[in-house]
Amino acid sequence: MKITVCWKWVSLDRDRDVDERWAGVSAADEAALEVALSIRDTLAGSDVRVFCLGPREADDVLRSALAVGAASVTRIDASPELDGRIVAGAIADHLHDADLVLCGDYSIDRGTGSVPAFLAAELGAAQALGLVAIDVATATTMPLRVVRRLDGGRREVLDVALPAVLSVEGSVARLRRASLAASLASRGTVITAVAGPYGRPAEAEVHPYRPRARTLPAPAGDSLSRVRAILDVGGSDNHAETVTLDPPAAARRILDQLDEWGYDTPVPR
């Protein structure tokens, strides 16, 4: 089995030179690597490779991945602040032979968790996101059994067939410690770097993260009615309804409802 782990390197101190105390990968990313290594340990002939998008300062965290047992590491030379869809496309260019892709479900900056979903779409693979447990033993028989977090404290058990993209929470596993010999050996390793999406400046332009804009009607009526509308005093009661639809129809229904509420929803491809 070809197992790939995707990391996101983040530096939270952008105003000064990179300080290792404020740079690195999230606990969820480390958990993804530990799960990958555990699956490799149960499957003869498997290996784990790690891809990380970021500048050359990310080489140190990739060396740590080599020290704990990754077979190879590759850095995609690009800004980690790129849009999630662009990041997923840059990584997917190198993963078309992957059987299983593991990611953390959040990064240590803004933590949108969108890249695994975009990555699954780019690869045409199954996806199971926000996992709280993975039964490593089922990797020998397949499908892989995983547990996903739902709202209200509920859990969903899934059997995931390959190829697949999984994202895990940081609580799923704790990354093993590297031996002293492996840590020392990895220090002098030259990290392979490949060009990132610099060739597409219109797509790869970096913007500050902002929530999606919502269209609101212009104020109307007297000041008292406008205050009541803002505070939602005396308004109509909200209602809920349960609908059962096929996935394409369900997606269309969600987009229609968001459009009715005034959100600027993208046009589906």
Side-chain angles (χ1 to χ4, degrees), residues 177-239:
R177 294 187 64 179
S179 67
L180 178 59
S183 296
L184 293 175
S186 67
R187 285 186 178 181
T189 303
V190 177
I191 303 301
T192 301
V194 296
Y198 293 114
R200 296 174 288 175
E203 294 180 281
E205 185 177 354
V206 177
H207 298 281
Y209 174 69
R210 296 186 179 92
R212 182 174 295 168
R214 184 177 182 183
T215 303
L216 298 176
D222 56 38
S223 58
L224 180 59
S225 62
R226 289 162 58 184
V227 170
R228 285 177 173 172
I230 293 173
L231 299 178
D232 197 23
V233 177
S236 59
D237 295 334
N238 294 329
H239 71 282

Short mmCIF file of all heavy atoms in Angstrom, two decimals, residues 177-239:
data_model
loop_
_atom_site.label_atom_id
_atom_site.label_comp_id
_atom_site.label_asym_id
_atom_site.label_seq_id
_atom_site.Cartn_x
_atom_site.Cartn_y
_atom_site.Cartn_z
N ARG A 177 8.32 8.94 19.35
CA ARG A 177 9.57 9.68 19.44
C ARG A 177 10.64 8.99 18.61
O ARG A 177 10.72 7.75 18.56
CB ARG A 177 10.03 9.76 20.90
CG ARG A 177 9.11 10.57 21.78
CD ARG A 177 9.68 10.76 23.16
NE ARG A 177 10.92 11.54 23.13
CZ ARG A 177 11.60 11.87 24.22
NH1 ARG A 177 11.18 11.46 25.42
NH2 ARG A 177 12.71 12.58 24.12
N ALA A 178 11.44 9.79 17.97
CA ALA A 178 12.54 9.24 17.17
C ALA A 178 13.68 8.84 18.07
O ALA A 178 13.92 9.44 19.13
CB ALA A 178 13.01 10.28 16.16
N SER A 179 14.42 7.83 17.66
CA SER A 179 15.61 7.44 18.40
C SER A 179 16.69 8.50 18.20
O SER A 179 16.66 9.29 17.24
CB SER A 179 16.13 6.09 17.90
OG SER A 179 16.59 6.20 16.57
N LEU A 180 17.65 8.53 19.12
CA LEU A 180 18.73 9.51 19.00
C LEU A 180 19.51 9.31 17.71
O LEU A 180 19.85 10.28 17.02
CB LEU A 180 19.66 9.39 20.21
CG LEU A 180 20.88 10.33 20.20
CD1 LEU A 180 20.45 11.78 20.14
CD2 LEU A 180 21.76 10.06 21.43
N ALA A 181 19.79 8.06 17.36
CA ALA A 181 20.54 7.78 16.14
C ALA A 181 19.79 8.28 14.90
O ALA A 181 20.39 8.88 13.99
CB ALA A 181 20.82 6.29 16.02
N ALA A 182 18.46 8.05 14.87
CA ALA A 182 17.67 8.49 13.71
C ALA A 182 17.61 10.01 13.64
O ALA A 182 17.67 10.60 12.55
CB ALA A 182 16.27 7.90 13.78
N SER A 183 17.49 10.67 14.78
CA SER A 183 17.45 12.14 14.81
C SER A 183 18.75 12.73 14.29
O SER A 183 18.76 13.68 13.50
CB SER A 183 17.17 12.63 16.23
OG SER A 183 15.90 12.22 16.67
N LEU A 184 19.87 12.16 14.73
CA LEU A 184 21.16 12.67 14.28
C LEU A 184 21.37 12.41 12.80
O LEU A 184 21.91 13.25 12.07
CB LEU A 184 22.28 12.02 15.10
CG LEU A 184 22.33 12.40 16.59
CD1 LEU A 184 23.40 11.59 17.30
CD2 LEU A 184 22.57 13.89 16.76
N ALA A 185 20.92 11.24 12.33
CA ALA A 185 21.10 10.89 10.92
C ALA A 185 20.27 11.79 10.01
O ALA A 185 20.68 12.09 8.88
CB ALA A 185 20.73 9.43 10.69
N SER A 186 19.11 12.23 10.49
CA SER A 186 18.23 13.04 9.64
C SER A 186 18.68 14.49 9.52
O SER A 186 18.25 15.21 8.63
CB SER A 186 16.80 13.00 10.19
OG SER A 186 16.72 13.65 11.44
N ARG A 187 19.56 14.93 10.42
CA ARG A 187 19.97 16.34 10.43
C ARG A 187 20.64 16.77 9.13
O ARG A 187 20.45 17.88 8.66
CB ARG A 187 20.90 16.61 11.60
CG ARG A 187 20.22 16.66 12.94
CD ARG A 187 21.20 17.07 14.03
NE ARG A 187 20.56 17.18 15.32
CZ ARG A 187 21.19 17.54 16.44
NH1 ARG A 187 22.50 17.82 16.40
NH2 ARG A 187 20.54 17.62 17.58
N GLY A 188 21.41 15.90 8.56
CA GLY A 188 22.12 16.28 7.34
C GLY A 188 21.40 15.93 6.06
O GLY A 188 21.96 16.10 4.97
N THR A 189 20.18 15.46 6.16
CA THR A 189 19.43 15.06 4.98
C THR A 189 19.02 16.27 4.14
O THR A 189 18.50 17.26 4.68
CB THR A 189 18.16 14.28 5.37
OG1 THR A 189 18.54 13.15 6.17
CG2 THR A 189 17.42 13.81 4.13
N VAL A 190 19.26 16.19 2.86
CA VAL A 190 18.82 17.25 1.94
C VAL A 190 17.38 16.96 1.53
O VAL A 190 17.08 15.90 0.99
CB VAL A 190 19.73 17.31 0.70
CG1 VAL A 190 19.22 18.37 -0.29
CG2 VAL A 190 21.17 17.61 1.10
N ILE A 191 16.50 17.90 1.80
CA ILE A 191 15.08 17.71 1.53
C ILE A 191 14.78 18.02 0.06
O ILE A 191 15.18 19.07 -0.47
CB ILE A 191 14.22 18.61 2.43
CG1 ILE A 191 14.52 18.32 3.91
CG2 ILE A 191 12.74 18.41 2.13
CD1 ILE A 191 14.26 16.90 4.33
N THR A 192 14.09 17.10 -0.59
CA THR A 192 13.69 17.30 -1.98
C THR A 192 12.61 18.37 -2.05
O THR A 192 11.60 18.30 -1.34
CB THR A 192 13.15 15.99 -2.57
OG1 THR A 192 14.16 14.98 -2.50
CG2 THR A 192 12.73 16.19 -4.02
N ALA A 193 12.83 19.37 -2.90
CA ALA A 193 11.85 20.45 -3.07
C ALA A 193 11.41 20.50 -4.52
O ALA A 193 12.23 20.38 -5.44
CB ALA A 193 12.44 21.79 -2.64
N VAL A 194 10.12 20.65 -4.74
CA VAL A 194 9.57 20.77 -6.09
C VAL A 194 8.86 22.11 -6.19
O VAL A 194 8.42 22.69 -5.19
CB VAL A 194 8.60 19.62 -6.41
CG1 VAL A 194 9.34 18.29 -6.41
CG2 VAL A 194 7.45 19.59 -5.42
N ALA A 195 8.74 22.62 -7.40
CA ALA A 195 8.13 23.93 -7.62
C ALA A 195 6.66 23.91 -7.25
O ALA A 195 5.94 22.96 -7.56
CB ALA A 195 8.31 24.35 -9.07
N GLY A 196 6.22 24.97 -6.61
CA GLY A 196 4.81 25.12 -6.26
C GLY A 196 4.04 25.84 -7.34
O GLY A 196 4.54 26.02 -8.46
N PRO A 197 2.81 26.28 -7.02
CA PRO A 197 1.95 26.90 -8.03
C PRO A 197 2.28 28.35 -8.33
O PRO A 197 1.40 29.20 -8.40
CB PRO A 197 0.56 26.77 -7.40
CG PRO A 197 0.81 26.81 -5.94
CD PRO A 197 2.13 26.11 -5.73
N TYR A 198 3.59 28.67 -8.48
CA TYR A 198 3.96 30.04 -8.80
C TYR A 198 3.64 30.39 -10.25
O TYR A 198 3.55 31.55 -10.61
CB TYR A 198 5.46 30.25 -8.57
CG TYR A 198 5.84 30.16 -7.11
CD1 TYR A 198 6.66 29.14 -6.66
CD2 TYR A 198 5.38 31.10 -6.21
CE1 TYR A 198 7.01 29.05 -5.32
CE2 TYR A 198 5.72 31.03 -4.87
CZ TYR A 198 6.54 30.00 -4.43
OH TYR A 198 6.88 29.92 -3.12
N GLY A 199 3.52 29.38 -11.11
CA GLY A 199 3.29 29.64 -12.52
C GLY A 199 1.89 30.11 -12.83
O GLY A 199 1.58 30.39 -13.96
N ARG A 200 1.02 30.17 -11.82
CA ARG A 200 -0.36 30.59 -12.04
C ARG A 200 -0.68 31.76 -11.12
O ARG A 200 -1.43 31.63 -10.16
CB ARG A 200 -1.31 29.42 -11.77
CG ARG A 200 -1.11 28.25 -12.72
CD ARG A 200 -1.95 27.07 -12.31
NE ARG A 200 -1.44 26.44 -11.10
CZ ARG A 200 -2.05 25.43 -10.48
NH1 ARG A 200 -3.20 24.99 -10.94
NH2 ARG A 200 -1.53 24.90 -9.41
N PRO A 201 -0.10 32.95 -11.40
CA PRO A 201 -0.24 34.06 -10.46
C PRO A 201 -1.68 34.50 -10.23
O PRO A 201 -2.04 34.92 -9.15
CB PRO A 201 0.58 35.18 -11.12
CG PRO A 201 0.66 34.80 -12.57
CD PRO A 201 0.69 33.30 -12.59
N ALA A 202 -2.52 34.38 -11.25
CA ALA A 202 -3.91 34.82 -11.06
C ALA A 202 -4.61 33.93 -10.05
O ALA A 202 -5.45 34.38 -9.27
CB ALA A 202 -4.65 34.79 -12.41
N GLU A 203 -4.30 32.62 -10.07
CA GLU A 203 -4.95 31.70 -9.15
C GLU A 203 -4.25 31.66 -7.80
O GLU A 203 -4.88 31.46 -6.77
CB GLU A 203 -4.95 30.29 -9.74
CG GLU A 203 -5.80 30.12 -10.97
CD GLU A 203 -5.74 28.68 -11.46
OE1 GLU A 203 -4.74 28.33 -12.11
OE2 GLU A 203 -6.67 27.94 -11.19
N ALA A 204 -2.92 31.83 -7.81
CA ALA A 204 -2.14 31.61 -6.60
C ALA A 204 -1.94 32.87 -5.78
O ALA A 204 -1.15 32.88 -4.87
CB ALA A 204 -0.78 31.03 -6.98
N GLU A 205 -2.65 33.95 -6.08
CA GLU A 205 -2.50 35.17 -5.32
C GLU A 205 -2.97 34.95 -3.88
O GLU A 205 -4.01 34.35 -3.63
CB GLU A 205 -3.33 36.29 -5.97
CG GLU A 205 -3.13 37.65 -5.31
CD GLU A 205 -3.91 38.73 -6.02
OE1 GLU A 205 -4.51 38.43 -7.08
OE2 GLU A 205 -3.94 39.86 -5.51
N VAL A 206 -2.20 35.42 -2.93
CA VAL A 206 -2.49 35.23 -1.52
C VAL A 206 -3.34 36.39 -1.01
O VAL A 206 -3.02 37.55 -1.23
CB VAL A 206 -1.19 35.14 -0.70
CG1 VAL A 206 -1.49 35.02 0.79
CG2 VAL A 206 -0.37 33.95 -1.17
N HIS A 207 -4.44 36.08 -0.33
CA HIS A 207 -5.31 37.08 0.26
C HIS A 207 -5.49 36.78 1.74
O HIS A 207 -5.42 35.62 2.16
CB HIS A 207 -6.70 37.07 -0.41
CG HIS A 207 -6.66 37.41 -1.87
ND1 HIS A 207 -6.54 38.69 -2.32
CD2 HIS A 207 -6.73 36.61 -2.96
CE1 HIS A 207 -6.55 38.69 -3.65
NE2 HIS A 207 -6.66 37.44 -4.06
N PRO A 208 -5.76 37.80 2.56
CA PRO A 208 -6.11 37.54 3.96
C PRO A 208 -7.38 36.71 4.04
O PRO A 208 -8.27 36.84 3.20
CB PRO A 208 -6.32 38.95 4.55
CG PRO A 208 -5.64 39.87 3.60
CD PRO A 208 -5.73 39.24 2.26
N TYR A 209 -7.47 35.87 5.05
CA TYR A 209 -8.67 35.05 5.21
C TYR A 209 -9.83 35.91 5.69
O TYR A 209 -9.71 36.66 6.66
CB TYR A 209 -8.40 33.94 6.23
CG TYR A 209 -9.64 33.13 6.54
CD1 TYR A 209 -10.20 32.29 5.59
CD2 TYR A 209 -10.24 33.22 7.80
CE1 TYR A 209 -11.32 31.56 5.87
CE2 TYR A 209 -11.36 32.48 8.08
CZ TYR A 209 -11.91 31.65 7.12
OH TYR A 209 -13.03 30.93 7.40
N ARG A 210 -10.96 35.81 5.00
CA ARG A 210 -12.15 36.54 5.41
C ARG A 210 -13.35 35.61 5.28
O ARG A 210 -13.43 34.80 4.35
CB ARG A 210 -12.39 37.76 4.52
CG ARG A 210 -11.30 38.84 4.59
CD ARG A 210 -11.71 40.06 3.79
NE ARG A 210 -10.70 41.11 3.85
CZ ARG A 210 -9.72 41.25 2.97
NH1 ARG A 210 -9.62 40.39 1.98
NH2 ARG A 210 -8.84 42.22 3.09
N PRO A 211 -14.32 35.73 6.21
CA PRO A 211 -15.55 34.94 6.06
C PRO A 211 -16.29 35.32 4.78
O PRO A 211 -16.13 36.43 4.28
CB PRO A 211 -16.37 35.31 7.31
CG PRO A 211 -15.39 35.91 8.26
CD PRO A 211 -14.32 36.54 7.42
N ARG A 212 -17.07 34.41 4.28
CA ARG A 212 -17.83 34.69 3.06
C ARG A 212 -18.83 35.82 3.30
O ARG A 212 -19.52 35.86 4.32
CB ARG A 212 -18.56 33.43 2.61
CG ARG A 212 -19.34 33.59 1.31
CD ARG A 212 -19.90 32.27 0.86
NE ARG A 212 -18.82 31.35 0.53
CZ ARG A 212 -19.00 30.05 0.33
NH1 ARG A 212 -20.20 29.53 0.46
NH2 ARG A 212 -17.98 29.27 0.02
N ALA A 213 -18.91 36.73 2.34
CA ALA A 213 -19.80 37.89 2.48
C ALA A 213 -21.26 37.46 2.42
O ALA A 213 -21.62 36.49 1.76
CB ALA A 213 -19.50 38.90 1.37
N ARG A 214 -22.08 38.19 3.14
CA ARG A 214 -23.52 37.94 3.13
C ARG A 214 -24.25 39.19 2.65
O ARG A 214 -23.96 40.30 3.09
CB ARG A 214 -24.00 37.57 4.53
CG ARG A 214 -25.48 37.20 4.57
CD ARG A 214 -25.89 36.78 5.97
NE ARG A 214 -27.29 36.39 6.02
CZ ARG A 214 -27.93 36.03 7.12
NH1 ARG A 214 -27.28 36.00 8.28
NH2 ARG A 214 -29.21 35.70 7.09
N THR A 215 -25.19 39.01 1.73
CA THR A 215 -25.94 40.13 1.19
C THR A 215 -27.11 40.46 2.10
O THR A 215 -27.93 39.60 2.42
CB THR A 215 -26.47 39.78 -0.21
OG1 THR A 215 -25.38 39.41 -1.07
CG2 THR A 215 -27.20 40.97 -0.82
N LEU A 216 -27.17 41.73 2.56
CA LEU A 216 -28.24 42.17 3.44
C LEU A 216 -29.06 43.25 2.74
O LEU A 216 -28.50 44.08 2.01
CB LEU A 216 -27.66 42.74 4.75
CG LEU A 216 -26.86 41.75 5.61
CD1 LEU A 216 -26.26 42.48 6.81
CD2 LEU A 216 -27.74 40.61 6.07
N PRO A 217 -30.36 43.27 2.97
CA PRO A 217 -31.18 44.31 2.35
C PRO A 217 -30.91 45.67 2.97
O PRO A 217 -30.45 45.78 4.11
CB PRO A 217 -32.61 43.83 2.64
CG PRO A 217 -32.48 42.99 3.87
CD PRO A 217 -31.14 42.32 3.76
N ALA A 218 -31.20 46.72 2.23
CA ALA A 218 -31.03 48.08 2.75
C ALA A 218 -32.03 48.33 3.88
O ALA A 218 -33.11 47.74 3.91
CB ALA A 218 -31.24 49.09 1.62
N PRO A 219 -31.66 49.19 4.86
CA PRO A 219 -32.58 49.49 5.96
C PRO A 219 -33.90 50.04 5.44
O PRO A 219 -33.96 50.81 4.48
CB PRO A 219 -31.82 50.54 6.79
CG PRO A 219 -30.38 50.36 6.43
CD PRO A 219 -30.38 49.91 5.00
N ALA A 220 -34.98 49.64 6.09
CA ALA A 220 -36.31 50.11 5.71
C ALA A 220 -37.15 50.29 6.96
O ALA A 220 -36.93 49.62 7.97
CB ALA A 220 -36.98 49.13 4.75
N GLY A 221 -38.13 51.20 6.91
CA GLY A 221 -39.01 51.43 8.05
C GLY A 221 -38.44 52.43 9.03
O GLY A 221 -37.34 52.97 8.85
N ASP A 222 -39.18 52.64 10.15
CA ASP A 222 -38.72 53.60 11.15
C ASP A 222 -37.62 52.98 12.01
O ASP A 222 -37.33 51.78 11.92
CB ASP A 222 -39.88 54.08 12.02
CG ASP A 222 -40.62 52.93 12.69
OD1 ASP A 222 -39.95 51.96 13.11
OD2 ASP A 222 -41.86 52.99 12.80
N SER A 223 -37.00 53.80 12.85
CA SER A 223 -35.85 53.34 13.64
C SER A 223 -36.23 52.22 14.60
O SER A 223 -35.45 51.28 14.82
CB SER A 223 -35.24 54.51 14.41
OG SER A 223 -36.21 55.10 15.26
N LEU A 224 -37.43 52.26 15.19
CA LEU A 224 -37.83 51.24 16.15
C LEU A 224 -37.97 49.88 15.48
O LEU A 224 -37.50 48.86 16.00
CB LEU A 224 -39.15 51.64 16.83
CG LEU A 224 -39.70 50.64 17.87
CD1 LEU A 224 -38.68 50.44 18.98
CD2 LEU A 224 -41.03 51.13 18.43
N SER A 225 -38.59 49.84 14.31
CA SER A 225 -38.76 48.56 13.61
C SER A 225 -37.41 48.01 13.15
O SER A 225 -37.19 46.80 13.13
CB SER A 225 -39.69 48.73 12.41
OG SER A 225 -39.16 49.65 11.47
N ARG A 226 -36.47 48.93 12.81
CA ARG A 226 -35.15 48.46 12.39
C ARG A 226 -34.38 47.87 13.56
O ARG A 226 -33.69 46.85 13.42
CB ARG A 226 -34.38 49.61 11.75
CG ARG A 226 -34.94 50.01 10.38
CD ARG A 226 -34.49 51.38 9.95
NE ARG A 226 -33.05 51.50 9.89
CZ ARG A 226 -32.40 52.64 9.61
NH1 ARG A 226 -33.11 53.74 9.38
NH2 ARG A 226 -31.09 52.67 9.56
N VAL A 227 -34.49 48.49 14.75
CA VAL A 227 -33.85 47.93 15.94
C VAL A 227 -34.44 46.57 16.27
O VAL A 227 -33.73 45.62 16.61
CB VAL A 227 -33.99 48.89 17.14
CG1 VAL A 227 -33.55 48.21 18.43
CG2 VAL A 227 -33.18 50.15 16.90
N ARG A 228 -35.76 46.45 16.18
CA ARG A 228 -36.40 45.16 16.44
C ARG A 228 -35.92 44.09 15.46
O ARG A 228 -35.72 42.94 15.83
CB ARG A 228 -37.91 45.30 16.35
CG ARG A 228 -38.53 46.01 17.55
CD ARG A 228 -40.02 46.18 17.37
NE ARG A 228 -40.64 46.72 18.58
CZ ARG A 228 -41.92 47.11 18.64
NH1 ARG A 228 -42.69 47.02 17.56
NH2 ARG A 228 -42.40 47.58 19.78
N ALA A 229 -35.74 44.49 14.21
CA ALA A 229 -35.27 43.52 13.20
C ALA A 229 -33.85 43.07 13.51
O ALA A 229 -33.51 41.89 13.36
CB ALA A 229 -35.35 44.15 11.81
N ILE A 230 -32.99 44.03 13.95
CA ILE A 230 -31.61 43.67 14.29
C ILE A 230 -31.56 42.72 15.48
O ILE A 230 -30.81 41.74 15.50
CB ILE A 230 -30.79 44.95 14.57
CG1 ILE A 230 -30.64 45.77 13.29
CG2 ILE A 230 -29.42 44.60 15.14
CD1 ILE A 230 -29.99 47.12 13.51
N LEU A 231 -32.39 43.01 16.48
CA LEU A 231 -32.40 42.19 17.70
C LEU A 231 -33.27 40.95 17.57
O LEU A 231 -33.34 40.14 18.50
CB LEU A 231 -32.88 43.04 18.89
CG LEU A 231 -32.01 44.26 19.23
CD1 LEU A 231 -32.62 45.04 20.38
CD2 LEU A 231 -30.59 43.82 19.57
N ASP A 232 -33.97 40.83 16.45
CA ASP A 232 -34.85 39.69 16.22
C ASP A 232 -35.93 39.60 17.29
O ASP A 232 -36.23 38.54 17.83
CB ASP A 232 -34.05 38.39 16.16
CG ASP A 232 -34.86 37.26 15.52
OD1 ASP A 232 -35.80 37.57 14.77
OD2 ASP A 232 -34.56 36.08 15.79
N VAL A 233 -36.47 40.77 17.67
CA VAL A 233 -37.53 40.83 18.67
C VAL A 233 -38.88 40.82 17.98
O VAL A 233 -39.15 41.65 17.11
CB VAL A 233 -37.40 42.10 19.54
CG1 VAL A 233 -38.55 42.18 20.53
CG2 VAL A 233 -36.06 42.08 20.26
N GLY A 234 -39.72 39.89 18.37
CA GLY A 234 -41.06 39.83 17.80
C GLY A 234 -41.09 39.26 16.40
O GLY A 234 -42.10 39.36 15.71
N GLY A 235 -40.00 38.67 15.96
CA GLY A 235 -39.96 38.08 14.62
C GLY A 235 -40.67 36.74 14.58
O GLY A 235 -41.10 36.19 15.60
N SER A 236 -40.80 36.23 13.40
CA SER A 236 -41.44 34.92 13.24
C SER A 236 -40.54 33.81 13.78
O SER A 236 -39.31 33.92 13.77
CB SER A 236 -41.75 34.67 11.76
OG SER A 236 -40.57 34.71 11.01
N ASP A 237 -41.17 32.77 14.28
CA ASP A 237 -40.41 31.63 14.82
C ASP A 237 -39.72 30.87 13.69
O ASP A 237 -40.28 30.70 12.61
CB ASP A 237 -41.35 30.68 15.58
CG ASP A 237 -41.94 31.36 16.81
OD1 ASP A 237 -41.29 32.28 17.33
OD2 ASP A 237 -43.05 30.96 17.22
N ASN A 238 -38.50 30.46 13.96
CA ASN A 238 -37.81 29.62 12.99
C ASN A 238 -38.42 28.23 13.00
O ASN A 238 -38.94 27.76 14.02
CB ASN A 238 -36.32 29.53 13.34
CG ASN A 238 -35.62 30.87 13.18
OD1 ASN A 238 -36.01 31.66 12.35
ND2 ASN A 238 -34.60 31.11 14.00
N HIS A 239 -38.35 27.57 11.90
CA HIS A 239 -38.86 26.21 11.84
C HIS A 239 -37.83 25.32 11.17
O HIS A 239 -36.92 25.80 10.48
CB HIS A 239 -40.17 26.16 11.06
CG HIS A 239 -40.01 26.38 9.58
ND1 HIS A 239 -39.83 27.63 9.04
CD2 HIS A 239 -39.98 25.49 8.54
CE1 HIS A 239 -39.70 27.52 7.73
NE2 HIS A 239 -39.78 26.25 7.39
#
